[in-house]
């Protein structure tokens, strides 16, 4: 499911590519959504991430809490870190977060806490996003920042920059 950013009222609907419905070949074991009113600028080259340009979509969020969210549900989250995915040459940030309502939310305050309290989760997220297009004959996605997750401070800066239009 995707937000149709090119349609009035930006409805949530099944994603399509070249007129065909998109399906994921693997299960997603977390909540996947976006930050409303954000935008990954396709005219801005990020030098920290191989000079990749934004993917012209809202910033994505991977929420790692234990409760499965509903389509369209709005969650209050604590951003913990981010993965800088390069998808077909475009930068597609994946904010790793936890719902403030999750019973474990008080245990995780930064990306380093994720591995401690949710062992293997960051690797699973990175591997899923790296490989999910391979069954369609596309190459594996890459990740910037040394294939590691950016910490909370970098995420807060990213969200600040994504929230404002300069120029």
């Amino acid at each position: 499911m995707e937000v149709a950013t090119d349609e009035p009222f930006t409805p949530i609907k099944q994603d399509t590519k070249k007129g065909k419905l998109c399906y994921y070949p693997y299960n997603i074991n977390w909540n996947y959504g976006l930050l409303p009113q954000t935008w990954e600028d396709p005219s801005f080259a990020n030098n920290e991430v191989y000079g990749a340009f934004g993917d012209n979509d809202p910033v994505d969020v991977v929420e790692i809490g234990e409760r499965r969210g509903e389509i369209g549900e709005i969650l209050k989250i604590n951003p913990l870190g981010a993965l800088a995915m390069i998808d077909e040459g475009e930068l597609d940030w994946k904010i790793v977060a936890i719902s403030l309502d999750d019973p474990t939310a008080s245990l995780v305050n930064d990306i380093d806490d994720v591995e401690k309290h949710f062992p293997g989760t960051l690797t699973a997220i990175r591997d899923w996003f790296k490989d999910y297009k391979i069954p369609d004959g596309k190459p594996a996605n890459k990740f910037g920042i040394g294939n590691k997750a950016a910490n909370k401070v970098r995420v807060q800066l990213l969200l600040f920059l994504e929230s404002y239009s300069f120029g």
Side-chain angles (χ1 to χ4, degrees), residues 10-28:
T10 56
I12 299 171
K13 57 191 243 182
Q14 187 160 357
D15 193 17
T16 59
K17 296 288 185 227
K18 297 181 182 176
K20 294 183 179 182
L21 296 176
C22 294
Y23 295 96
Y24 294 132
Y26 314 111
N27 288 336
I28 297 177

Side-chain angles (χ1 to χ4, degrees), residues 5-166:
T5 57
D6 58 345
E7 294 184 27
F9 307 111
T10 56
I12 299 171
K13 57 191 243 182
Q14 187 160 357
D15 193 17
T16 59
K17 296 288 185 227
K18 297 181 182 176
K20 294 183 179 182
L21 296 176
C22 294
Y23 295 96
Y24 294 132
Y26 314 111
N27 288 336
I28 297 177
N29 299 310
W30 48 82
N31 295 308
Y32 185 47
L34 59 90
L35 295 175
Q37 299 181 357
T38 60
W39 175 59
E40 297 192 47
D41 187 347
S43 68
F44 175 73
N46 188 317
N47 293 329
E48 287 187 279
V49 190
Y50 310 115
F53 292 86
D55 70 353
N56 201 31
D57 283 330
V59 176
D60 297 331
V61 177
V62 178
E63 194 278 324
I64 62 172
E66 60 186 46
R67 187 181 71 80
R68 182 178 177 172
E70 299 294 326
I71 293 174
E73 182 177 359
I74 296 172
L75 301 175
K76 293 180 181 178
I77 60 165
N78 179 11
L80 305 168
L83 295 167
M85 185 176 86
I86 310 299
D87 182 355
E88 297 182 32
E90 296 178 330
L91 177 57
D92 189 2
W93 285 102
K94 306 297 181 193
I95 305 297
V96 178
I98 191 157
S99 170
L100 295 177
D101 295 330
D102 193 87
T104 60
S106 65
L107 300 175
V108 286
N109 295 302
D110 202 340
I111 202 69
D112 294 332
D113 296 331
V114 174
E115 195 59 34
K116 181 177 175 184
H117 296 286
F118 296 88
T121 297
L122 288 175
T123 299
I125 292 168
R126 189 173 28 253
D127 288 350
W128 193 94
F129 282 108
K130 178 177 62 92
D131 296 339
Y132 82 102
K133 290 188 175 182
I134 291 174
D136 291 335
K138 295 182 179 177
N141 289 319
K142 299 177 189 174
F143 289 86
I145 312 176
N147 212 33
K148 297 186 185 323
N151 65 23
K152 186 173 189 164
V153 171
R154 287 178 91 176
V155 170
Q156 290 169 333
L157 178 60
L158 165 73
L159 296 179
F160 171 79
L161 293 174
E162 293 288 344
S163 298
Y164 294 93
S165 174
F166 297 99

